[in-house]
């Protein structure tokens, strides 16, 4: 069975490569903001424990990922509850929230890549993470999809690849 890919590889207006995902949740913007900024909520779906100091220039502490060293990043921008962006491992991660009505929110995650050849790897990783976020938002528990299948599906779709893959290289 082929993986159902929801990410898009794109080149931003400034020439940087990125992968982008969009989801619609049956929750208010305030609830989705909590899901994507609160360390305890992030623990359900984000690849590392992320403790975010929600202010421009604030620190983001990443820990607990078995494939990466603990590290820190910097908050680039905050417009609560609509936008958060931060640096992580040379990349940028942007969370954008748009109220569709009082009970529905569109969440867009954009990972601005430091190198195009990380797109398939990061796309597969975010795909797996967002499956967990979808489950959390829906009050369910779902097993993450098989990462290697997702990675191969992104490669087969022509998304740039070739970067080292933590935990497999």
């Amino acid at each position: 069975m082929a993986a159902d890919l929801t990410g898009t590889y794109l080149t931003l207006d400034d020439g940087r490569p990125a992968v982008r995902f969009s989801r619609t949740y049956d929750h208010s913007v305030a609830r989705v903001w909590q899901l994507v900024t609160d360390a305890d909520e992030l623990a359900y779906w984000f690849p590392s424990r992320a403790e975010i100091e929600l202010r421009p220039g604030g620190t983001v502490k990443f820990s607990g990922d078995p494939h990466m060293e603990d590290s820190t990043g910097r908050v680039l921008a905050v417009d609560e509850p609509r936008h958060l962006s931060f640096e992580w491992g040379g990349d940028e991660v942007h969370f954008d929230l748009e109220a569709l009505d009082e009970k529905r929110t569109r969440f867009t995650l954009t990972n601005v890549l430091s190198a195009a050849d990380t797109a398939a790897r990061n796309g597969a990783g975010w795909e797996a993470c967002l499956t967990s976020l979808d489950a959390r938002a829906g009050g369910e528990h779902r097993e993450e999809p098989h990462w290697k299948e997702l990675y191969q599906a992104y490669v087969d779709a022509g998304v740039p690849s070739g970067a080292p893959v933590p935990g497999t290289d």
Side-chain angles (χ1 to χ4, degrees):
M1 177 179 193
D4 183 23
L5 303 180
T6 63
T8 302
Y9 175 73
L10 64 148
T11 302
L12 300 177
D13 290 343
D14 63 8
R16 296 184 296 168
V19 289
R20 180 171 289 153
F21 299 83
S22 185
R23 300 287 198 271
T24 299
Y25 294 114
D26 291 329
H27 294 290
S28 68
V29 168
R31 174 63 179 136
V32 177
W33 181 257
Q34 182 184 22
L35 288 168
V36 303
T37 61
D38 178 88
D40 293 332
E41 293 290 351
L42 285 162
Y44 285 96
W45 69 274
F46 199 79
S48 296
R49 175 146 181 96
E51 297 177 27
I52 305 169
E53 191 178 2
L54 285 172
R55 63 173 182 77
T59 299
V60 185
K61 295 178 185 175
F62 303 102
S63 62
D65 185 325
H67 303 294
M68 296 179 68
E69 302 259 340
D70 290 358
S71 63
T72 58
R74 182 175 57 89
V75 173
L76 300 171
V78 178
D79 181 12
E80 187 173 343
R82 291 180 296 276
H83 176 80
L84 169 66
S85 57
F86 54 87
E87 296 174 335
W88 185 29
D91 286 357
E92 291 178 14
V93 178
H94 298 245
F95 297 160
D96 290 290
L97 284 70
E98 175 189 359
L100 300 176
D101 57 37
E102 291 180 13
K103 296 182 181 178
R104 292 183 328 123
T105 301
R106 179 177 297 121
F107 169 63
T108 302
L109 182 155
T110 305
N111 180 189
V112 182
L113 307 167
S114 58
D117 70 353
T118 63
R121 178 192 71 196
N122 289 22
W126 288 120
E127 196 82 57
C129 291
L130 290 172
T131 296
S132 295
L133 175 57
D134 295 346
R136 179 70 177 163
E140 308 167 4
H141 174 76
R142 266 188 248 164
E143 294 297 317
E144 280 189 16
H146 194 272
W147 187 89
K148 287 183 182 179
E149 179 183 324
L150 291 170
Y151 177 71
Q152 190 59 52
Y154 274 98
V155 171
D156 292 348
V159 175
S161 60
V165 177
T168 63
D169 293 332

